[in-house]
Amino acid sequence: MPGHVEDLRSRMVAAGAGDHFLWFGEIGIPVRGTNDPQAFYGYPAKRQSVPGASLDYAARYLVKCHALALKCGVQRIYWYNYQNRGGDIDYAEHHFGLRSFSGSRSDAGHPLPAYVAYIHMLTNLKGSQFVAQRSPAPDIYLFEFAVSGTAGRRLLAWAKPGHRVRLPLTALANGLLAKDVRSVTNIYGARQAVIEKEEITLASMPVYLRL
């Protein structure tokens, strides 16, 4: 994403709009979910197949996209979309939603994992300002946010897929001690026991640290 945004900004500068704000007007990912992985999935009319994401992958993707977009200075992000648009299991366009499809306008469908991740992201980051992205180790993504009007901070961190990295807490923030960390939760809000003896273990599942 950073490379994509950099290219967009270069085009904006060339067009004389270098100081214009940047929004993501539509971003999302189709979710195959528990559909048969061997079956066709995509756009049947064109016979164009797409891989489709698992429910958990889509939730992680949502959180990571928001963190990277905020780091790149994107001011607004419109996620596509709130609710699945249909129930055809092989049609990708029906499965971008944060909630399941329902044929009734009065029924918003049940929340999918990405919806839970979205709500927990807002719980942690709403009212916060992006401060910096750091790389305390080659395979680690770390984002710091300041809670507006307070001395509080939030850290969002994860390791590249397939990696598990143990780091001293001071690698995440200067002078950080275990007693300074109020909570560590994954993207679904479940508390994580990943801190031991002033060290933290990070994996591909993003975690929020409340300081």
Side-chain angles (χ1 to χ4, degrees), residues 187-209:
I187 61 173
Y188 303 120
R191 287 184 173 267
Q192 303 296 293
V194 293
I195 294 178
E196 183 180 4
K197 296 181 180 178
E198 305 300 335
E199 293 184 326
I200 186 169
T201 300
L202 297 173
S204 60
M205 169 63 79
V207 292
Y208 298 97
L209 286 78

Side-chain angles (χ1 to χ4, degrees), residues 59-81:
R60 300 185 191 204
Y61 179 83
L62 179 148
V63 172
K64 293 176 180 180
C65 279
H66 277 77
L68 288 167
L70 292 171
K71 178 259 182 184
C72 291
V74 177
Q75 294 186 10
R76 291 193 183 186
I77 304 163
Y78 291 89
W79 198 259
Y80 182 79
N81 56 359

Side-chain angles (χ1 to χ4, degrees), residues 63 116-129 145-148 152-156 182-190 207-211:
V63 172
V116 179
Y118 192 88
I119 295 300
H120 190 59
M121 179 179 67
L122 292 179
T123 299
N124 279 277
L125 302 184
K126 187 175 181 179
S128 299
Q129 298 294 321
F145 299 85
V147 182
S148 300
R153 288 179 294 162
R154 303 285 187 267
L155 300 180
L156 173 60
R182 294 164 51 198
S183 66
V184 183
T185 56
N186 67 13
I187 61 173
Y188 303 120
V207 292
Y208 298 97
L209 286 78
R210 286 182 169 235
L211 310 182

Side-chain angles (χ1 to χ4, degrees), residues 38-69:
Q38 303 303 319
F40 175 85
Y41 182 77
Y43 298 87
K46 300 178 181 179
R47 297 307 299 171
Q48 177 186 353
S49 64
V50 297
S54 69
L55 292 166
D56 181 65
Y57 182 94
R60 300 185 191 204
Y61 179 83
L62 179 148
V63 172
K64 293 176 180 180
C65 279
H66 277 77
L68 288 167

Side-chain angles (χ1 to χ4, degrees), residues 130 132-136 140-144 155-158 171-173 202 209:
F130 173 76
Q133 180 189 2
R134 296 189 293 276
S135 298
I140 298 297
Y141 290 86
L142 172 66
F143 300 81
E144 180 179 350
L155 300 180
L156 173 60
W158 69 84
L172 303 188
L202 297 173
L209 286 78

